[in-house]
Amino acid sequence: MNRDLKIVRLEQCDSTNSYIRTRFEELKNDLPVMVTSLLQTGGRGRDNRVWDSRAGKGLYCSFGFHLEQGAGWHLLPLTAGIGIIDTLRRIAGLDTGLKWPNDILYRGRKIAGILIENVIFENRMFCVVGIGINLNHEVADFPVELEDKAVSLREITGSLYDVKEVSDTLADVFFTRLQDLEENRQEKIVDTARQYSRFMEGRPIRFHQKKEIVGGIFRGLNTDGGLILETEDGNRTICYSGEIEQ
Ligand code: BTN
């Protein structure tokens, strides 16, 4: 465990990302910080989606920290994804995959997601990395529209998980990986992300970028961690933002 990590464990809050962002003034001298909450009343996903956050079912946590300019900011989503995959392997011996850049899948269903929101404060850039992992949900705990898209660790292994233990493991694994970024070992992050997203190579995908949807074949990651998309005309383009339809 990172010894200087400040940990805030809440019973309830609107969103752990918002908690850090709105208390930045007070937290900025205590970074890095991890905030976890047993439930969130306003859990947020990417693209203004709601992240269903009922009590004790999932891990809802956010890390707040400073990352020097140029220290591989663009690889933060992949670093967080790797951290989640390593955590799931450590606590449950489970192999999951990275759906570039932000989702963790088990057999095509989503088990975890990441919401990164950076904060500029006094001309310095701070990162807020929010992570939600489906741990103890039963099928009926997911909203109907997610039933065949989401999965929890409990559904897969049949066991219940201690949220605190999972958050401690995640913090340990995530900050170790973050050190690779800070110490310029970006190649290591990209190589691991490639390995974790290999299951998608050669697959047809629909890629959402801004308001456009482009069809093509997933051809892996380039050396900067960008997605290589082979479009229908056979050309390859590199995408640095956007998301693959599930
Ligand atoms: C997504 O896949 O759309 C991202 C989901 C991120 C959810 C987590 S839960 C903890 C943190 N607080 C939030 O409000 N969202 C993130």
Side-chain angles (χ1 to χ4, degrees), residues 50-69:
V50 170
W51 187 260
D52 194 80
S53 307
R54 48 197 86 190
K57 296 289 176 183
L59 168 69
Y60 318 116
C61 89
S62 301
F63 298 116
F65 53 92
H66 173 64
L67 193 61
E68 282 307 328
Q69 192 168 13

Side-chain angles (χ1 to χ4, degrees), residues 15-17 40 43-46 51 61 103 110 113-114 131-132:
S15 146
T16 52
N17 269 33
Q40 299 184 116
R44 296 183 286 111
R46 292 191 309 278
W51 187 260
C61 89
D103 290 333
K110 181 158 160 174
I114 302 162
I131 292 176

Side-chain angles (χ1 to χ4, degrees), residues 104-127:
I104 309 304
L105 301 186
Y106 178 78
R107 298 191 178 161
R109 287 157 85 182
K110 181 158 160 174
I111 190 164
I114 302 162
L115 176 67
I116 299 185
E117 298 179 302
N118 294 326
V119 179
I120 295 178
F121 193 81
E122 292 168 352
N123 283 327
R124 294 174 81 207
M125 170 93 136
F126 296 90
C127 305

Side-chain angles (χ1 to χ4, degrees), residues 14-222:
D14 54 348
S15 146
T16 52
N17 269 33
S18 307
Y19 183 94
I20 296 183
R21 293 178 67 197
T22 53
R23 287 169 185 77
F24 216 77
E25 178 81 61
E26 139 202 354
L27 291 170
K28 70 173 196 289
N29 297 321
D30 283 326
L31 301 178
V33 63
M34 170 171 80
V35 178
T36 67
S37 184
L38 272 187
L39 74 91
Q40 299 184 116
T41 51
R44 296 183 286 111
R46 292 191 309 278
D47 295 329
N48 295 322
R49 288 184 291 245
V50 170
W51 187 260
D52 194 80
S53 307
R54 48 197 86 190
K57 296 289 176 183
L59 168 69
Y60 318 116
C61 89
S62 301
F63 298 116
F65 53 92
H66 173 64
L67 193 61
E68 282 307 328
Q69 192 168 13
W73 283 345
H74 65 292
L75 294 180
L76 210 46
L78 300 184
T79 308
I82 292 169
I84 298 171
I85 291 175
D86 290 346
T87 298
L88 292 172
R89 186 170 290 156
R90 219 196 256 187
I91 57 168
L94 188 74
D95 281 332
T96 49
L98 178 68
K99 177 163 85 67
W100 186 97
N102 275 311
D103 290 333
I104 309 304
L105 301 186
Y106 178 78
R107 298 191 178 161
R109 287 157 85 182
K110 181 158 160 174
I111 190 164
I114 302 162
L115 176 67
I116 299 185
E117 298 179 302
N118 294 326
V119 179
I120 295 178
F121 193 81
E122 292 168 352
N123 283 327
R124 294 174 81 207
M125 170 93 136
F126 296 90
C127 305
V128 179
V129 175
I131 292 176
I133 306 183
N134 301 332
L135 293 178
N136 296 322
H137 301 67
E138 295 178 275
V139 181
D141 293 322
F142 288 115
V144 186
E145 66 277 14
L146 292 184
E147 265 174 19
D148 57 347
K149 287 194 163 176
V151 69
S152 75
L153 204 48
R154 177 185 186 180
E155 284 181 87
I156 300 164
T157 67
S159 305
L160 282 169
Y161 293 87
D162 179 55
V163 175
K164 178 177 178 297
E165 194 184 321
V166 180
S167 63
D168 287 347
T169 304
L170 179 65
D172 192 10
V173 169
F174 175 70
F175 282 104
T176 304
R177 290 291 188 171
L178 197 62
Q179 217 170 336
D180 285 332
L181 272 196
E182 286 171 326
E183 295 172 4
N184 246 334
R185 290 186 293 275
Q186 305 184 358
E187 215 180 285
K188 197 170 156 192
I189 297 289
V190 174
D191 281 349
T192 312
R194 262 197 198 125
Q195 195 186 314
Y196 289 172
S197 54
R198 189 147 293 147
F199 71 103
M200 291 203 56
E201 273 181 38
R203 280 200 194 172
I205 57 171
R206 278 162 57 83
F207 191 72
H208 292 233
Q209 199 168 33
K210 296 187 184 128
K211 292 211 156 83
E212 246 183 90
I213 302 178
V214 188
I217 308 285
F218 179 84
R219 293 291 180 202
L221 307 186
N222 76 351

